[in-house]
Amino acid sequence: MHTQHTILTIAGSDSGGGAGIQADLRTFAALGNYGTSAITALTAQNTQGVQAVHGVPPAFVQQQIQSVLDDFDVHAIKTGMLFNADNTRATVEALKTHFSGRTMPPLVCDPVCVSTSGHSLLAPEAIQVLIHELLPLTTLITPNKSEAELLLSRSITSLEDMLEATKDLIRLGPKAVLLKGGHITAKLSDLGRLLSAHPEARVVRDGMYGDKMEILAVNGPQFEYLVVDVLREADDSVTVLARPRIDSSSTHGTGCTLSAALASALADGNTLSEAVMKATAFTHLGIATAYTNLGSGQGPLNHLHSVAQLSVPPRTPGNPYPFTKLLITGSAAIWKEYVEHEFVQLLGKGTLPRASFVQFIVQDYHYLKYYARAYSLLAAKSPSFSRIGSATQTIGHILREIETHRAFCGEFGVSTDELESTPESAATTAYGCYLMDIGIQGDATKLLMALLACLLGYGEVGLWLKASASWVILEGNPYRRWIEDYSGAEHQAAVRAGLETIEEAAASNPPSPGLLAEWRAVWDRCTKLETAFWDSALHLKN
């Protein structure tokens, strides 16, 4: 069970509820922690902008902070809009006084200077107080492009500029800097150039498809631009975090939410890099799942997307296949072993021994009988006409695939009588019986796990071979037709239908952690059985 920690936010109030202490307290609660607050200023604002700001007297700011710290064991602190020099000094004085002679908990400073709508939220004279008095107390500062430019008195226009800026920002006194890149346009090529010039930097790609996820990348949305954040720590280590840019107008309160999530993660005992990865992922998903009908201007993000504690992330336009991605990521090693099997590589080069391919195609023919029966069970178990239709459509695809296998066998000198009379190999029987066993257990989604490891895996193999032009040989390859079939339109259409079916099943019946573990175990088992199937053909095991 999550241990609840107490966090103090020192910031302004947003009457529209999307930013400021309202966003902070909502974020703390969503992440399982308890929020306290000291208000530095009141604002009259909504999604269209800030209409007025009324500062709280410095002495009262200090009194609020002292009141909270005198009573609560605070595990992290964040500052947001401090309004002016006097309130900034009051904040510093309150923290220094209370923590004199003892260790201050992690302090996250969000140097709020200008609102999204362009309204000034920090008086110019307060900048120097923030730099000289607050930053030396700070664990992590989280400026965006405009704020970093204001602190450094220079422009930042590229990822290289961002990396250099973090060096100078950390010299101002904080233990670490997270320079946010939401206002800098970046492409994959820009990221590649940065990492090529700085191989020492650690890169975290969040929300992008990883190795052996071509079926997701091809069928999912294509992105051109990235958001790149740069974390530099006191030991000069650098982490570059990149994720697809979301085209959204619901970004009001993003900076407040991120810094609050950072304070929450640090309160929970995470390292700086762990906290940044968790907080940026939380904020990104908040934008992706944002409300679209709140206000008529720059709307707020969704701070409560994690409250349901879902085992599977929600589907979003930028991540339409979260469940499948979860399955592939969780079994990355065995999935890669399956998709990049030596059998597949030799097939792509055209050097696979003829006898191995003949055994494979004959045994796959027998396996497809089990596969069609299992899909018939899935149709019987399906809760809706659309799911019944999808399963039935796949059976039709299997029947056409069986005819393709008969044709392949004819090309390789195997008659229909020989095809039917050849006994099943141990690998075929093991896999087929496992499918039928899962099919009669009663859980339709568990049966989907078993079936889709094959459908999606062959789709991934087809796309991998198609994309690997440097070593795959098609001209004169005796197995060219097989490659083209599984990378071709019909099988990839079946892959898309399978993706939609599995994602709909997971979304309509969100699994508990225990049920999710069962589903993943079936997926893993079938991925291993697929690998054993390749092994059997390659080494001619009966």
Side-chain angles (χ1 to χ4, degrees), residues 312-340:
V312 179
R315 298 185 77 177
T316 67
N319 185 21
Y321 309 120
F323 183 46
T324 312
K325 184 178 179 183
L326 185 71
L327 291 173
I328 294 175
T329 302
S331 62
I334 56 176
W335 178 257
K336 185 179 177 72
E337 183 182 354
Y338 162 30
V339 172
E340 291 188 2

Side-chain angles (χ1 to χ4, degrees), residues 423-463:
E424 294 179 2
S425 69
T428 303
T429 303
Y431 197 176
C433 289
Y434 183 72
L435 282 183
M436 299 309 294
D437 180 48
I438 294 298
I440 62 176
Q441 287 184 22
D443 185 335
T445 308
K446 187 185 289 188
L447 178 55
L448 264 177
M449 299 301 104
L451 292 166
L452 290 180
C454 177
L455 176 69
L456 301 186
Y458 275 53
E460 183 70 35
V461 166
L463 292 178

